[in-house]
C-alpha cells in the first residue's frame, strides 16, 4: 500500500497491534492448483458494482472487530451508517489465515490463526455484511511475504527453504522488517493461488484483493538459483545484472509478476465469473522500482477489475500532488476502476483532521473519482459525522 520509508515502517507496525515445479503432494490433496499458464488476451473487466466503491480495510491488528460476532455486527452497523459498501477484510497475514484453511494447514500445520480457533470470522463477516447490503472482499494482506520480523522467514521458509527470495549476497530478502518468498517460483505462486481459490470456492465472497505484497517482491530479490536459471534460459545464458535497479532486470521480473496476476485473474473468474479482483498497490512508478508492481500494465492487460493505489499522505498538498501523478498513468475508461486508498489512521494515531479528509473527498470527486477506500476501519469512529454527510457523494 508510494510511501516514504518512514510511513512504510509506521504502516507495517500498524498492520501487525508464505521446478521440478509441483507445489507438493500435501497441498495438492488440500486443493490442487492448475499448472502455470501464460497470459493470453485479457478478459474484459467485470462490472459488478451497483454503486461506486466506498470501501474500508478491516484488519486483525490494532482492532478487535474479528474477535467475536458481536464485534463484527457492531462494526458492520457502523460501516452501513457512514456509507461504507465494500469491506476489504484481512484473510492472510503472518503465515496464517483468519478462516479455517486446509491449504495453509497443509504447509504450516496451522488451520487458522490461533486467536480465532473454533470460529470462522470470515464467514461471520460475510453473513452480517450481506444482511446489510455490504460486499466483502478477501484481502490477502501478506501476499508473497512469509513473515514479519523473523530473520529466518518463519515457518514457511523453514518448511520450504527453496522458496526464499534471495538478494545478490544470497541472503533472505527482508525489507521494512518483512521477509519474502520468491514470487517468481512456480511452487510459491501455486500456493498463493490455492489460498485465493480456496476462499473463492468455499465462501460467498464478493471479491479478492492483493496489495503492496501481492503480486510483489522487493526489487533486491531475484538472485535465488531458480530465478537466475530462468533468467539465463531467456537471455542466452547471461547472468542477471548485479545492479538490482537495472531497468531491464526490473522490467523482466515485473513482467513475471504481471503474468502471475493474469493467471490468478483467469483462475478466479473460472470459478466465479462475478468475483471482483481488486489490487491495492503502492503508487507508480515507485511501486515498480521498489516492489516490481507495474500496475498500469495490470490495468492495460485487464488483469484487475478495480485498482486502489495507496495514496497515503499526511498533508493535503502531498495528497493532491500524488493523486495527480497517479491519474496520469490511467488509460481511457480506467478512471471508472480507480478508487484511491486514503489513510485515516496508523496504529492509534488519527492522521488527517476532519477538514483535510473533507478536502480529500472533494478533490477526488472533482477529478471524477466516485469513491475511495479508507485505511483502516478503526479510523471511521473519528470521522463518523463527516462520512455520513458525504456518503451519497
Amino acid at each position: 500500500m508510494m510511501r516514504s520509508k518512514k510511513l512504510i515502517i509506521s504502516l507495517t507496525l500498524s498492520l501487525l497491534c508464505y521446478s521440478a515445479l509441483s507445489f507438493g503432494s500435501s497441498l495438492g490433496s488440500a486443493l490442487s492448483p492448475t499448472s502455470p499458464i501464460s497470459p493470453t488476451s485479457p478478459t474484459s473487466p467485470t462490472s459488478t458494482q451497483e454503486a461506486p466503491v466506498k470501501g474500508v480495510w478491516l484488519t486483525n491488528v490494532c482492532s478487535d472487530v474479528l474477535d467475536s460476532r458481536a464485534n463484527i455486527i457492531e462494526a458492520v452497523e457502523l460501516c452501513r451508517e457512514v456509507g461504507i459498501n465494500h469491506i476489504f477484510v484481512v484473510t492472510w497475514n503472518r503465515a496464517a489465515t483468519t478462516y479455517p484453511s486446509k491449504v495453509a494447514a497443509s504447509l504450516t500445520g496451522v488451520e487458522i490463526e490461533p486467536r480465532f480457533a473454533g470460529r470462522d470470522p470470515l464467514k461471520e463477516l460475510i453473513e452480517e455484511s450481506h444482511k446489510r447490503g455490504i460486499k466483502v472482499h478477501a484481502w490477502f494482506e501478506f501476499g508473497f511475504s512469509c513473515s514479519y520480523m523473523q530473520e529466518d522467514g518463519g515457518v514457511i521458509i523453514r518448511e520450504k527453504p527453496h522458496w526464499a527470495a534471495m538478494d545478490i549476497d544470497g541472503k533472505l530478502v527482508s525489507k521494512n522488517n518483512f521477509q519474502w518468498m520468491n514470487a517468481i517460483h512456480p511452487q510459491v505462486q501455486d500456493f498463493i493461488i490455492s489460498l485465493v481459490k480456496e476462499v473463492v470456492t468455499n465462501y460467498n465472497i464478493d471479491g479478492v484483493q492483493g496489495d503492496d505484497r501481492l503480486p510483489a517482491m522487493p526489487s533486491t530479490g531475484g538472485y535465488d538459483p531458480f530465478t537466475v536459471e530462468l533468467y539465463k534460459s531467456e537471455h542466452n545464458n547471461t547472468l542477471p545484472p548485479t545492479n538490482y535497479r537495472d531497468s531491464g532486470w526490473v522490467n523482466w521480473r515485473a513482467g513475471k509478476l504481471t503474468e502471475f496476476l493474469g493467471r490468478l485473474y483467469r483462475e478466479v473468474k473460472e470459478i466465479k465469473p462475478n468475483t471482483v479482483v481488486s489490487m491495492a498497490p503502492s503508487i507508480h512508478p515507485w511501486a515498480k522500482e521498489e516492489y516490481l508492481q507495474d500496475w498500469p500494465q495490470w490495468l492495460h492487460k485487464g488483469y484487475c477489475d478495480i485498482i486502489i493505489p495507496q495514496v497515503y499522505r499526511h498533508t493535503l498538498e502531498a495528497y493532491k500532488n500524488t493523486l495527480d501523478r497517479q491519474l496520469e498513468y490511467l488509460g481511457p475508461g480506467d478512471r471508472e476502476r480507480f478508487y484511491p486508498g486514503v489513510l485515516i489512521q496508523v496504529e492509534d494515531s488519527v492522521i488527517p483532521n476532519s477538514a483535510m479528509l473533507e478536502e480529500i473527498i472533494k478533490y477526488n470527486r472533482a477529478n471524477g473519482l466516485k469513491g475511495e477506500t479508507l485505511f483502516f476501519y478503526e479510523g471511521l469512529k473519528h470521522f463518523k459525522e463527516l462520512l455520513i454527510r458525504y456518503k451519497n457523494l
Side-chain angles (χ1 to χ4, degrees):
M1 289 175 159
M2 184 171 162
R3 296 174 253 197
S4 67
K5 291 184 178 179
K6 182 177 180 181
L7 178 56
I8 296 173
I9 293 171
S10 179
L11 283 172
T12 55
L13 290 173
S14 75
L15 289 171
L16 290 164
C17 262
Y18 236 83
S19 48
L21 307 174
S22 62
F23 172 54
S25 59
S26 59
L27 177 58
S29 63
L31 180 63
S32 298
T34 59
S35 299
I37 53 178
S38 299
T40 55
S41 58
T43 305
S44 298
T46 303
S47 179
T48 60
Q49 287 72 50
E50 294 144 3
V53 173
K54 304 290 184 66
V56 70
W57 279 286
L58 179 58
T59 79
N60 58 346
V61 177
C62 298
S63 175
D64 63 0
V65 169
L66 297 179
D67 288 354
S68 71
R69 185 181 283 266
N71 289 358
I72 287 172
I73 291 172
E74 180 181 0
V76 173
E77 278 293 331
L78 176 60
C79 288
R80 181 196 59 77
E81 188 174 2
V82 302
I84 295 295
N85 57 7
H86 291 257
I87 295 175
F88 299 89
V89 59
V90 62
T91 53
W92 164 249
N93 66 8
R94 292 171 291 181
T97 54
T98 58
Y99 66 94
S101 170
K102 292 181 179 179
V103 172
S106 69
L107 178 62
T108 68
V110 178
E111 187 175 63
I112 190 171
E113 182 180 340
R115 169 180 170 187
F116 306 122
R119 295 178 50 236
D120 189 340
L122 178 59
K123 182 175 183 289
E124 294 172 9
L125 179 69
I126 292 171
E127 291 173 349
E128 298 300 338
S129 296
H130 285 180
K131 289 178 185 176
R132 296 160 178 82
I134 297 174
K135 296 184 177 182
V136 178
H137 304 249
W139 166 35
F140 292 85
E141 181 197 0
F142 262 46
F144 288 115
S145 175
C146 51
S147 65
Y148 180 76
M149 296 186 72
Q150 292 183 276
E151 292 183 2
D152 66 350
V155 62
I156 296 178
I157 301 304
R158 288 195 295 270
E159 290 293 322
K160 302 284 185 179
H162 61 290
W163 284 14
M166 298 176 69
D167 63 20
I168 189 67
D169 297 318
K171 296 179 180 178
L172 175 67
V173 170
S174 182
K175 186 166 183 171
N176 299 313
N177 292 319
F178 288 88
Q179 292 72 49
W180 288 78
M181 295 180 277
N182 177 16
I184 296 174
H185 198 294
Q187 291 181 6
V188 176
Q189 293 185 353
D190 283 350
F191 172 70
I192 293 298
I193 285 183
S194 292
L195 275 178
V196 174
K197 290 169 67 175
E198 179 179 53
V199 169
V200 174
T201 300
N202 296 332
Y203 290 86
N204 186 22
I205 199 75
D206 298 290
V208 294
Q209 183 180 79
D211 62 3
D212 50 354
R213 288 180 285 273
L214 179 65
M217 184 171 68
S219 53
T220 53
Y223 294 96
D224 60 279
F226 172 83
T227 306
V228 169
E229 289 303 314
L230 180 61
Y231 181 88
K232 287 170 61 180
S233 73
E234 298 181 12
H235 293 83
N236 297 316
N237 210 37
T238 302
L239 287 168
T242 56
N243 176 14
Y244 70 87
R245 295 185 184 276
D246 177 87
S247 60
W249 179 220
V250 168
N251 288 338
W252 183 82
R253 290 172 293 165
K256 295 300 182 185
L257 297 190
T258 296
E259 290 176 7
F260 164 81
L261 180 56
R263 176 193 165 198
L264 184 149
Y265 185 89
R266 288 192 303 278
E267 293 193 22
V268 166
K269 298 294 184 175
E270 285 170 3
I271 300 170
K272 291 179 182 175
N274 289 331
T275 302
V276 173
V277 177
S278 66
M279 293 291 136
S282 298
I283 64 174
H284 196 75
W286 187 89
K288 181 179 179 181
E289 296 165 352
E290 297 293 327
Y291 286 94
L292 308 175
Q293 295 192 299
D294 192 0
W295 63 256
Q297 277 296 306
W298 303 349
L299 284 177
H300 175 70
K301 291 179 177 292
Y303 291 167
C304 60
D305 300 315
I306 298 174
I307 196 78
I308 310 175
Q310 298 173 27
V311 190
Y312 295 167
R313 293 296 178 267
H314 285 198
T315 68
L316 181 60
E317 181 181 9
Y319 179 86
K320 289 180 175 180
N321 289 339
T322 304
L323 181 66
D324 289 347
R325 290 197 301 272
Q326 300 312 290
L327 294 175
E328 293 174 1
Y329 298 109
L330 301 182
D334 286 344
R335 201 165 293 222
E336 296 179 0
R337 297 191 278 162
F338 184 99
Y339 294 91
V342 175
L343 185 66
I344 60 173
Q345 185 164 334
V346 176
E347 295 180 294
D348 295 324
S349 300
V350 180
I351 297 302
N353 55 34
S354 291
M356 177 179 163
L357 182 57
E358 183 171 14
E359 290 303 314
I360 285 175
I361 295 173
K362 288 180 178 178
Y363 195 71
N364 290 344
R365 300 298 176 272
N367 279 279
L369 306 177
K370 299 179 180 180
E372 47 278 313
T373 296
L374 307 175
F375 186 86
F376 65 104
Y377 165 79
E378 296 297 330
L380 296 182
K381 301 170 185 177
H382 303 285
F383 300 103
K384 180 176 177 180
E385 298 305 319
L386 171 63
L387 294 172
I388 288 174
R389 291 204 309 271
Y390 280 89
K391 69 179 181 179
N392 294 319
L393 296 180

